[in-house]
Amino acid sequence: MEVVMKKTLLLGIMMVLPLALSLSQFKQKCIELAFSGSVSSWTTSSTFSGQGNSESRAIVIVSSTIGYFVADGVSIEGEVGVVAMEKQNPSQYVLAGLSYTYSISELNIAPFFHAGYGVSNSVQLPTLGGLPVRTMNDMNVKVLNVGGGMKFLVSSGAALRLELNYRSHSWSENINYSYYPYSMPSNVDYKYSNVGLLIGFSILI
């Protein structure tokens, strides 16, 4: 009897789940779980007294996003991510923002746009040698994040994502320039921006 009940429950879930997913696509109260990433390479080369030198390092960005649709096509998002580079400690970031998705059901595609703001504990910047390094460890780097792209629906509850992403990092620090007998404190503002292509997938609940 217990086996029959389990089989009946499983069959009911299998019958109801596709319907629930098909009704939830980018609609109000729908939840979207997204995972995206990119892999790139940073290469630097230099020549001194006729001697050449070059070095490359891989950079991997991985992020996960959860969005709750407060209205059809409109969602509130939270995102966490990691930026990892060869020979450097990884950095982390946290973002919050809004997203709009326009579903074209006849073509199984959905253009989307989102914007958000958050913080990071580091940013990868080129040094005098050309290769980027971590700048700090505190979560005091301000991050502006804007992106847009396309979701390709592969089933009633899953989609592939392709996004062109713009990200701007900004932070400040106090530097004390000293040259005896003079001392000149100064506040320096930095800004670093980059554009990248992110590939991933979404699960709709």
Side-chain angles (χ1 to χ4, degrees), residues 62-168:
V62 179
S63 66
S64 60
T65 305
I66 181 170
Y68 178 76
F69 284 80
V70 295
D72 290 355
V74 180
S75 64
I76 299 174
E77 294 184 335
E79 178 181 342
V80 295
V82 176
V83 180
M85 176 183 294
E86 279 187 282
K87 303 178 182 178
Q88 297 291 333
N89 292 327
S91 60
Q92 298 80 35
Y93 63 86
V94 180
L95 303 172
L98 289 173
S99 177
Y100 178 73
T101 302
Y102 180 74
S103 179
I104 306 176
S105 56
E106 298 84 359
L107 301 176
N108 289 327
I109 60 174
F112 71 94
F113 172 83
H114 71 99
Y117 190 79
V119 293
S120 174
N121 65 345
S122 182
V123 63
Q124 312 291 351
L125 285 178
T127 63
L128 292 177
L131 288 171
V133 297
R134 272 178 74 100
T135 58
M136 61 201 71
N137 293 308
D138 299 326
M139 296 291 284
N140 57 2
V141 179
K142 300 173 184 178
V143 182
L144 173 65
N145 182 58
V146 179
M150 193 75 69
K151 301 174 185 178
F152 302 90
L153 296 168
V154 295
S155 70
S156 57
L160 298 177
R161 296 167 57 100
L162 186 63
E163 176 187 345
L164 183 63
N165 180 265
Y166 167 81
R167 194 160 296 180
S168 175

Side-chain angles (χ1 to χ4, degrees), residues 140-200:
N140 57 2
V141 179
K142 300 173 184 178
V143 182
L144 173 65
N145 182 58
V146 179
M150 193 75 69
K151 301 174 185 178
F152 302 90
L153 296 168
V154 295
S155 70
S156 57
L160 298 177
R161 296 167 57 100
L162 186 63
E163 176 187 345
L164 183 63
N165 180 265
Y166 167 81
R167 194 160 296 180
S168 175
H169 303 78
S170 60
W171 70 101
S172 301
E173 65 177 335
N174 293 316
I175 299 178
N176 189 24
Y177 295 100
S178 59
Y179 183 78
Y180 184 82
Y182 304 103
S183 179
M184 183 182 299
S186 178
N187 184 69
V188 183
D189 297 322
Y190 299 94
K191 186 175 182 180
Y192 170 71
S193 303
N194 64 288
V195 178
L197 188 65
L198 300 177
I199 300 175

Side-chain angles (χ1 to χ4, degrees), residues 7-25 156-157 204-205:
K7 289 184 177 180
T8 302
L9 180 61
L10 180 60
L11 180 60
I13 294 175
M14 293 176 63
M15 293 176 62
V16 173
L17 184 59
L19 177 60
L21 291 174
S22 65
L23 294 176
S24 68
Q25 288 181 3
S156 57
L204 304 171
I205 303 174

